[in-house]
Amino acid sequence: MADLAITGEGLWQQASPLVLPSAAATQSLAALLGQTAACLLTAPEQQFALPQAVGIDSTPGLVILLAGGLGSGKTTFVQGLGQGLEIPEPIDSPSFVLVQEYRTGRIPLFHCDLYRLGPTSGAHASEVEASALEDLGLEELWGQVGITAIEWPQYLPYLPPTYLWLQLEPHLQAEGSRLLHAKGRGLRTAQLWQQVLSQLPQRGTKG
């Protein structure tokens, strides 16, 4: 698969990062991802042909893990997803709850911010018990036909069966720009991301 290096156990990684020159570019990319995912998840006849042995790709939803420091553009990316899914409500980081649900778009969007599970609350990632997922109901969310976008995924006690991991960081050579590194698990997520890359208006966004 062009641009993506496939490794064992369904793991893959994009060879080079994307350069996102502005917040608008970040949202545009996310909107394209949301549109593409909605088509894939709601139209079984359009789903990619996968080897039957790839059982990890049986998850009905898409989990997007958004990593990066404060102000790196994670919430901006989720807002772009909302645009692509045609969600009319404004999307902000959950303030008093860890999970915010949006069910008015083409498919549901579940926005999770796990920042409060991190060291700022006195807990390290290794100290977060596996029961946290059950308490938050995340496994139920990523088992639905929809998109679950999780900020600060490093605080998850374990990862979902399949996922798209996007790392956002400042571009040191271009003020105001961001670099986006993509990797994931599952052939379906790899093919989904490859389809998004093929639809980018300018391949010059590659790093």
Side-chain angles (χ1 to χ4, degrees):
M1 218 176 295
D3 299 324
L4 303 184
I6 307 294
T7 63
E9 300 183 354
L11 297 172
W12 60 268
Q13 185 167 352
Q14 187 174 339
S16 58
L18 297 179
V19 178
L20 303 172
S22 64
T26 300
Q27 289 190 341
S28 294
L29 174 65
L32 178 59
L33 174 59
Q35 293 166 359
T36 306
C39 292
L40 172 65
L41 296 176
T42 59
E45 68 277 4
Q46 296 183 17
Q47 293 195 17
F48 301 105
L50 297 172
Q52 293 183 354
V54 186
I56 59 173
D57 282 287
S58 61
T59 304
L62 171 65
V63 180
I64 302 175
L65 305 178
L66 291 165
L70 291 170
S72 61
K74 299 184 297 296
T75 300
T76 298
F77 196 93
V78 180
Q79 291 168 343
L81 288 174
Q83 293 174 7
L85 298 178
E86 302 175 11
I87 295 173
E89 303 103 300
I91 294 177
D92 296 304
S93 289
S95 300
F96 303 104
V97 294
L98 297 177
V99 180
Q100 185 68 50
E101 300 184 10
Y102 301 90
R103 296 182 178 271
T104 56
R106 298 175 59 187
I107 57 175
L109 172 65
F110 308 108
H111 182 198
C112 313
D113 189 331
L114 305 184
Y115 182 71
R116 284 189 289 156
L117 294 181
T120 55
S121 62
H124 294 281
S126 60
E127 298 171 345
V128 178
E129 298 180 356
S131 62
L133 283 185
E134 181 178 351
D135 295 339
L136 294 175
L138 291 183
E139 287 186 311
E140 295 181 8
L141 296 182
W142 64 49
Q144 299 183 39
V145 175
I147 297 177
T148 303
I150 303 177
E151 298 187 38
W152 302 95
Q154 60 267 44
Y155 301 136
L156 287 170
Y158 56 85
L159 298 177
T162 64
Y163 55 84
L164 172 62
W165 182 294
L166 301 177
Q167 175 90 28
L168 287 156
E169 61 185 38
H171 192 327
L172 299 181
Q173 281 74 46
E175 185 176 356
S177 296
R178 294 288 184 269
L179 292 176
L180 184 145
H181 303 265
K183 62 181 181 179
R185 184 167 190 250
L187 291 180
R188 186 176 67 171
T189 61
Q191 292 171 319
L192 168 63
W193 187 245
Q194 184 66 52
Q195 184 169 330
V196 170
L197 293 180
S198 71
Q199 297 177 75
L200 290 178
Q202 294 182 354
R203 299 308 302 273
T205 56
K206 291 175 58 178

